[in-house]
Amino acid sequence: MVVIETPRSPRSRKSAKFERYGWLYMRISGALLLVLIFGHLIINLVMNGGITQISFAFVAGKWADPFWKIWDGLMLWLALIHGTNGMRTIVNDYSERPMIRKTLNIALWVVCGALIILGTLVVTTFDPCVDPSVSHTLSVCK
Amino acid sequence: MSDVKVIDEIPTYQVTLFVRRFNQEDGLEARWEDFDVTVHGTDRVLDALHKIKWEQDGSLTFRRSCAHGVCGSDAMRINGRNRLACKTLIKDLDMTKPIYVEPIKGLTVEKDLVVDMNPFYEAYRDVKPFLIASDKPEKERIQSPEDRERFEDTTKCILCAACTSSCPVFWTDGQYFGPAAIVNAHRFIFDSRDEAAEVRLDILNDKEGVWRCRTTFNCTEACPRGIEVTKAIAEVKQAILRGKP
Ligand code: HEM
Ligand code: SF4
Ligand code: FES
């Protein structure tokens, strides 16, 4: 009887699991972002007078509520990691030399990390009353 | 004799073909070369290429074997779309304009319309496209019509490479396994008689495996066999996430 042996050893396999979680993350974060981003746009730009309502007081009022802090914080983390991972995919597609690929990917995640830290700081430590030139106009500061 | 029908003569047309020419030995860059050909209403692009080769320029190089859409030798880019030259009727194209014929993209051109198919076959081989079963039945391996239906679509592949060479991800670096390899893995992953689905799923859960697919549907559009290639890839992704077919 003729037995067909396995014809060759498999390819070198690096970071296989990572790509799978990256793929899943893009879809899960995409679905959540759909709600978060369009909710954000409708509430800020369409409802209650549309863009004319936006002011320091409007932002201060929203961020006085933990619900909007969590909403915006989630949007920040999900979108930045989503966008950066998407850019990583594109870099992997188009960069030919390994050094350039590595440099661009490191740059992407450094920028992503910096923006997440700054954004999270703003969302969590935001205090509308620190600046007396505007805080006297806000009811929460009185 | 009055009831003998006279069959109309098949109409003929004058068409211009722009063919992408390349020959490593002449030291020139790849270039377009035009040929005027008289074709019949029943002629396919392959017939026009034959006419050029046989009557005008014997050096024109392309692959074909069966000439009837079975062997998968003559996938090429015709008016910007991957098709089999032997299944593309010239009268279905816009004959008022020149017809552009070039090699499929993403694989190295060897001469004119002939590309190096080895990277394509390599990816095919890597998914173990053969039945792996430990049992030794007396006669055939029995399978229910429903179980057979599960992978019917992907049995139709003729390995023409139209799908893989239409994929923008494959074009970028040629490392991606490509739709054809995944289609042929699908054919065994979802075969109830096969016992190595997990092995194949593990092979395709690779940095260059199914996750590189961006669902552009170019492959489905290109497949001359009408295989729902993108759907097959999606089913393999789902199977990897589940950990079983
Ligand atoms: C509105 C909600 C969003 C949804 C539903 C969504 C969905 C997706 C999905 C499913 C992918 C993966 C595509 C694939 O691999 O085939 C993707 C890729 C990508 N997304 Fe989003 N996304 C959204 C918002 C965003 C935002 C806000 C950004 C920017 C920060 C962004 C940037 C990207 C990038 C750069 C890619 C990679 C594109 C590529 O692979 O060619 N997306 N998106
Ligand atoms: S799936 Fe279709 S396009 Fe791809 S190689 Fe097979 S027959 Fe050709
Ligand atoms: S020559 Fe065989 S498929 Fe076209």
Side-chain angles (χ1 to χ4, degrees):
Chain A
M1 196 181 86
V2 180
V3 177
I4 302 172
E5 294 292 342
T6 302
R8 56 181 55 239
S9 54
R11 309 176 163 221
S12 76
R13 308 190 57 248
K14 284 180 286 179
S15 66
K17 299 286 178 289
F18 181 75
E19 292 301 328
R20 162 179 161 177
Y21 292 119
W23 185 89
L24 253 184
Y25 176 81
M26 292 307 270
R27 274 133 254 268
I28 294 169
S29 62
L32 291 170
L33 283 170
L34 217 51
V35 178
L36 292 171
I37 293 175
F38 284 98
H40 172 83
L41 292 175
I42 291 166
I43 284 156
N44 284 20
L45 306 178
V46 182
M47 282 164 62
N48 302 323
I51 53 169
T52 53
Q53 68 179 325
I54 295 187
S55 62
F56 185 78
F58 176 77
V59 178
K62 260 183 103 178
W63 277 354
D65 184 346
F67 177 80
W68 291 114
K69 283 194 172 185
I70 293 170
W71 183 294
D72 288 1
L74 257 180
M75 203 157 61
L76 173 84
W77 280 73
L78 289 173
L80 274 170
I81 297 173
H82 176 104
T84 308
N85 191 47
M87 287 304 296
R88 179 187 68 90
T89 313
I90 296 173
V91 164
N92 286 347
D93 275 353
Y94 289 101
S95 61
E96 278 164 20
R97 282 189 276 155
M99 269 313 288
I100 291 185
R101 171 176 302 199
K102 210 168 181 176
T103 312
L104 287 173
N105 279 333
I106 289 172
L108 275 174
W109 289 113
V110 168
V111 171
C112 175
L115 289 174
I116 284 183
I117 291 170
L118 288 176
T120 309
L121 264 174
V122 170
V123 175
T124 52
T125 63
F126 179 77
D127 175 4
C129 305
V130 278
D131 182 356
S133 67
V134 285
S135 62
H136 71 273
T137 63
L138 298 176
S139 56
V140 281
C141 303
K142 284 175 186 152
Chain B
M1 291 297 281
S2 59
D3 59 343
V4 173
K5 286 211 186 80
V6 179
I7 298 170
D8 287 343
E9 206 184 319
I10 303 171
T12 62
Y13 308 93
Q14 199 66 34
V15 294
T16 306
L17 271 85
F18 274 79
V19 183
R20 193 84 176 150
R21 304 293 305 268
F22 174 73
N23 183 359
Q24 231 169 0
E25 281 151 29
D26 66 16
L28 298 171
E29 301 256 309
R31 66 210 168 269
W32 291 102
E33 198 169 319
D34 58 315
F35 299 92
D36 292 322
V37 196
T38 307
V39 295
H40 296 296
T42 50
D43 278 348
R44 306 150 299 167
V45 171
L46 181 65
D47 298 304
L49 291 173
H50 277 152
K51 276 189 188 148
I52 295 170
K53 186 170 178 70
W54 294 336
E55 295 161 14
Q56 300 186 33
D57 184 348
S59 74
L60 179 67
T61 307
F62 54 90
R63 286 197 184 100
R64 72 101 175 84
S65 298
C66 70
H68 289 84
V70 185
C71 70
S73 317
D74 62 342
M76 46 190 84
R77 223 166 131 83
I78 299 167
N79 284 351
R81 287 183 55 186
N82 280 6
R83 305 154 173 270
L84 294 178
C86 65
K87 278 186 81 172
T88 307
L89 277 175
I90 290 172
K91 72 173 176 61
D92 290 343
L93 303 170
D94 181 357
M95 284 187 295
T96 63
K97 296 203 186 104
I99 296 162
Y100 288 84
V101 182
E102 54 190 312
I104 48 177
K105 299 212 314 180
L107 294 159
T108 311
V109 178
E110 291 189 329
K111 193 177 177 193
D112 296 342
L113 302 173
V114 171
V115 298
D116 176 12
M117 295 282 279
N118 281 325
F120 173 80
Y121 294 138
E122 184 94 20
Y124 172 62
R125 264 186 233 113
D126 283 351
V127 302
K128 302 185 190 293
F130 41 82
L131 188 85
I132 300 176
S134 54
D135 60 330
K136 295 192 174 58
E138 283 292 296
K139 288 154 87 183
E140 73 272 29
R141 292 188 168 84
I142 312 281
Q143 184 169 49
S144 73
E146 294 76 38
D147 282 348
R148 163 66 207 210
E149 190 56 36
R150 186 69 195 82
F151 61 95
E152 166 67 19
D153 201 34
T154 45
T155 61
K156 298 187 297 200
C157 178
I158 55 173
L159 290 172
C160 66
C163 54
T164 295
S165 64
S166 74
C167 175
V169 175
F170 184 77
W171 294 339
T172 61
D173 56 8
Q175 293 298 304
Y176 172 41
F177 269 88
I182 301 171
V183 158
N184 287 282
H186 179 286
R187 186 249 166 272
F188 289 100
I189 288 168
F190 294 98
D191 186 337
S192 59
R193 300 163 297 186
D194 188 86
E195 290 164 17
E198 275 79 6
V199 176
R200 295 193 186 85
L201 291 176
D202 191 47
I203 291 169
L204 289 173
N205 182 20
D206 185 275
K207 189 158 141 287
E208 307 298 346
V210 288
W211 310 121
R212 283 201 77 182
C213 163
R214 311 270 262 287
T215 331
T216 60
F217 281 94
N218 281 22
C219 48
T220 302
E221 242 170 71
C223 180
R225 307 288 320 216
I227 298 171
E228 292 182 283
V229 182
T230 313
K231 184 177 169 202
I233 298 173
E235 285 174 357
V236 174
K237 285 175 186 163
Q238 295 298 322
I240 293 177
L241 292 179
R242 273 197 307 274
K244 61 181 195 323

